[in-house]
Amino acid sequence: MLTNAEKVGTHVGQRIRERRVQLGLKQAQIAATLEISYQQFQKYETGMNRVSAGRLFEIAQALHCPVAWFFEDYATDITLSPLPHGGANRATVELVRNFNKIEDPRLKAAIQSLVKEIAEE
């Protein structure tokens, strides 16, 4: 089963190929523009190698399209779970950081019990 990142990489690669074919260009032509081997470019198109953000920007320029074009028609049914530390909640992030600095396991357990008890009330 593919990870979300692999699914996106495959989709982007397919879109790169689609755009290149629309323009009637060969892999070797785009590869030369990007100063990479055509084998490397082929790996981008097949999704074998993921394209970095910077390289995708360069590919978009070479193919005369916006970067967002490569993500069009992508099924966005990816569900992201919330960050375990509360995400953007600064106080939660700091609480977790400071808690992780405590070295005494008994003290950690006591604080964890205290926080749990307070939260349940």
Side-chain angles (χ1 to χ4, degrees), residues 56-106:
L56 187 59
F57 181 79
E58 291 174 340
I59 292 170
Q61 288 183 315
L63 295 176
H64 308 288
C65 65
V67 172
W69 189 88
F70 300 112
F71 297 95
E72 288 178 6
D73 302 326
Y74 183 73
T76 56
D77 59 350
I78 297 172
T79 52
L80 300 175
S81 57
L83 296 173
H85 57 65
N89 187 333
R90 182 91 176 142
T92 303
V93 172
E94 288 184 23
L95 178 66
V96 171
R97 278 191 192 134
N98 290 325
F99 180 80
N100 286 331
K101 290 178 185 177
I102 299 170
E103 293 181 10
D104 184 342
R106 293 179 301 139

Side-chain angles (χ1 to χ4, degrees), residues 12-57:
V12 167
Q14 290 169 348
R15 295 288 286 176
I16 291 170
R17 179 182 300 243
E18 183 180 337
R19 181 66 179 158
R20 177 182 59 78
V21 170
Q22 283 177 353
L23 296 174
L25 300 170
K26 295 182 179 185
Q27 288 176 334
Q29 290 172 296
I30 301 300
T33 301
L34 300 172
E35 298 179 348
I36 59 174
S37 69
Y38 84 90
Q39 293 95 335
Q40 178 61 48
F41 186 75
Q42 184 177 46
K43 289 178 182 180
Y44 290 151
E45 284 192 346
T46 61
M48 191 176 231
N49 286 3
R50 283 190 232 156
V51 182
S52 71
R55 180 66 75 194
L56 187 59
F57 181 79

